[in-house]
């Protein structure tokens, strides 16, 4: 599973021109079937939202957005 996660993370990183270190979290979330991934890094969220695959582009939710959706 580790090599698969690394490969997915690298593909995402290349597609959005971002660090594979950050995209490992995305790869793991995808592998776990997550529909959303809460993140505080606005630059990373913006990069993922620009991904050519609309399903991946919809995954990030900024911490502030998540808090607002919960009413906190």
């Amino acid at each position: 599973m580790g090599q698969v996660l690394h490969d997915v993370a690298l593909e995402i990183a290349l597609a959005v021109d971002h660090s594979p270190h950050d995209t490992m979290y995305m790869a793991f979330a995808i592998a776990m079937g997550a529909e959303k991934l809460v993140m505080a890094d606005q630059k990373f969220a913006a990069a993922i939202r620009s991904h050519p695959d609309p399903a991946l582009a919809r995954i990030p939710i900024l911490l502030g957005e998540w808090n607002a959706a919960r009413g906190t």
Side-chain angles (χ1 to χ4, degrees):
M1 181 172 183
Q3 184 62 41
V4 173
L5 288 177
H6 180 267
D7 292 347
V8 170
L10 186 56
E11 287 178 23
I12 294 169
L14 291 172
V16 299
D17 192 26
H18 201 81
S19 162
H21 174 77
D22 288 338
T23 59
M24 278 298 288
Y25 297 104
M26 285 291 303
F28 185 74
I30 292 165
M32 296 293 102
E35 294 180 16
K36 293 289 182 186
L37 178 62
V38 177
M39 53 184 72
D41 185 336
Q42 293 180 354
K43 184 178 175 184
F44 181 39
I48 296 300
R49 287 175 175 167
S50 73
H51 195 282
D53 181 343
L56 290 180
R58 287 190 297 267
I59 289 178
I61 182 167
L62 286 168
L63 184 57
E65 296 167 346
W66 181 74
N67 276 334
R70 294 181 57 226
T72 56

